[in-house]
Every structure is written in structure tokens, then in C-alpha cells.
């Protein structure tokens, strides 16, 4: 099931930015390393199929992540994307989110900024932007770990190639689940080696 959601774009020279989606840069600093593991990827999300029974709500959409092949081996990219997927958010506002009185410009668009209330025992900073009405996405996310193989992870929204086809994803609040997990065991997020980034 996870493999159906997480896709690696392997076609040489094929640009995912021609489709509607969000362009991200993801960096992972291993402890003691001055150079991060890095990938750039596009997030695409599509609405779920509507169920015919009127009493049921429309099915939630899916998302997929795509990275160009020339960034590294498919295995290394898949591992980085699997970890990045746990830090993504593509859903409506949550109780932990709050609209801020500022806008951020992406090209010709100015997007409303939302903050996220994070657990006090984690060294985390996070901001969302409203990419469509009532649809939030991670704009900037940074987490630092006091111990473990991973020292720091950064996720940054670098651009939008269109958003009119984006829809809330079934796993759209993955970031909130990850933060809840780290609240109980912060070192859990730092576990792993360059060969097993998860």
C-alpha cells in the first residue's frame, strides 16, 4: 500500500514540474557530517473517487512523491522520500494550527501563513502555507535531535507548479502523527544510518 503512494520518478530527463504540485527540498544531516543527504521532489495529490452511496463522504485523495533520477541512486532516493513523507502535511487546518497575519510570496502568488503548535519537548519549528482554500501544506520544517544518528532534518517548500488539482490526502496529516510519536520518544526520529534512512 505504501509503495502505491510513494513513487520514484526514474525516467531520465522527465520533469515532474510540468504537472501541478509542490516542489520541496529535503535535507538530512547525519551526526558528525558537515554535508547533508539531500533530495528535491515534487508532491502531487489527486482527489479520491466519489462513492455512490449518498450517506458516505467522498473518498480521500492520495499523494505521491517524485524525484528526478539524476539526484542519486533509486535506492537512496526512495529511502529519503520515505522519511520525507512522514514530515508532510496536505490537509485542512487542525486544532494545533493557527492563521498568522502574514503572507509569503511564491512567484506571483501570496499565500497565507499558518503556524503549528509543536510539542514542548521537541526542538521543532514549522510553518504552513495555505496553497488552496482550507488546504495547508508544509512551508518550512526543521527538527533537531539531541542524540542518535540523525542530527537534523529540514524540509522546505521551494515552489508551486500549480495547485488547482491538489486535494487533501488520506495520509495528509502524517506530520502530526510523527510529532506525536516523537513526543513519547524523541530519539525515535533520530534513529537510522545513511544506509537505512527511514
Amino acid at each position: 500500500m505504501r509503495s502505491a503512494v510513494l513513487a520514484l520518478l526514474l525516467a531520465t530527463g522527465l520533469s515532474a514540474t510540468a504537472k501541478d504540485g509542490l516542489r520541496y527540498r529535503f535535507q538530512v544531516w547525519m551526526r558528525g557530517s558537515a554535508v547533508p543527504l539531500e533530495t528535491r521532489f515534487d508532491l502531487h495529490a489527486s482527489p479520491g473517487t466519489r462513492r455512490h452511496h449518498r450517506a458516505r463522504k467522498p473518498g480521500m485523495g492520495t499523494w505521491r512523491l517524485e524525484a528526478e533520477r539524476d539526484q542519486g541512486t533509486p535506492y537512496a532516493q526512495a529511502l529519503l522520500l520515505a522519511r520525507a513523507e512522514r514530515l508532510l502535511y496536505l490537509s485542512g487546518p487542525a486544532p494545533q494550527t493557527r492563521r498568522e497575519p502574514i503572507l509569503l510570496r511564491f512567484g506571483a502568488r501570496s499565500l497565507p501563513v499558518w503556524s503549528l503548535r509543536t510539542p514542548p519537548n521537541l526542538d521543532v519549528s514549522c510553518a504552513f502555507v495555505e496553497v488552496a482554500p482550507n488546504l495547508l501544506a508544509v512551508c518550512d520544517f526543521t527538527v533537531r535531535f539531541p542524540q542518535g544518528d540523525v542530527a537534523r532534518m529540514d524540509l522546505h517548500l521551494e515552489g508551486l507548479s500549480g495547485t488547482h488539482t491538489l486535494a487533501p490526502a488520506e495520509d495528509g496529516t502524517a506530520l502530526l502523527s510523527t510529532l506525536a510519536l516523537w513526543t513519547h520518544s524523541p530519539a525515535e526520529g533520530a534513529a537510522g544510518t545513511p544506509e537505512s534512512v527511514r
Side-chain angles (χ1 to χ4, degrees):
M1 177 176 164
R2 180 66 71 179
S3 61
V5 176
L6 184 64
L8 186 64
L9 186 65
L10 298 178
T12 304
L14 183 60
S15 173
T17 57
K19 306 172 185 176
D20 285 350
L22 308 175
R23 182 72 166 174
Y24 281 99
R25 183 183 75 229
F26 180 53
Q27 296 174 304
V28 177
W29 277 265
M30 307 308 293
R31 197 165 305 281
S33 176
V35 179
L37 304 170
E38 180 175 320
T39 188
R40 282 179 166 83
F41 65 89
D42 293 312
L43 182 155
H44 304 289
S46 57
T49 57
R50 288 187 172 272
R51 301 184 178 98
H52 295 292
H53 195 288
R54 290 186 178 181
R56 298 180 182 176
K57 295 180 179 180
M60 294 296 288
T62 59
W63 64 20
R64 72 181 189 280
L65 312 183
E66 296 180 346
E68 284 88 5
R69 181 173 183 158
D70 60 4
Q71 294 186 104
T73 67
Y75 178 72
Q77 290 301 307
L79 291 176
L80 285 170
L81 291 181
R83 183 181 280 271
E85 188 179 34
R86 294 170 54 189
L87 306 179
L88 292 170
Y89 189 98
L90 191 65
S91 188
Q96 303 96 311
T97 60
R98 184 180 68 181
R99 172 76 182 267
E100 300 293 342
I102 57 175
L103 301 172
L104 280 182
R105 182 172 293 278
F106 285 84
R109 295 183 59 186
S110 293
L111 304 180
V113 173
W114 291 66
S115 60
L116 176 68
R117 186 174 68 250
T118 58
N121 66 324
L122 300 177
D123 187 0
V124 172
S125 63
C126 181
F128 295 146
V129 286
E130 190 170 347
V131 295
N134 293 316
L135 184 62
L136 308 185
V138 173
C139 179
D140 289 292
F141 176 86
T142 297
V143 59
R144 293 176 175 83
F145 300 103
Q147 58 187 6
D149 294 329
V150 175
R152 173 180 159 191
M153 293 189 292
D154 286 355
L155 181 67
H156 299 288
L157 180 64
E158 294 194 319
L160 304 90
S161 52
T163 57
H164 69 278
T165 62
L166 289 179
E170 184 177 4
D171 295 329
T173 59
L175 172 60
L176 302 185
S177 300
T178 298
L179 292 176
L181 174 66
W182 290 346
T183 298
H184 298 293
S185 179
E188 175 71 16
T193 65
E195 293 75 31
S196 61
V197 175
R198 58 180 183 158

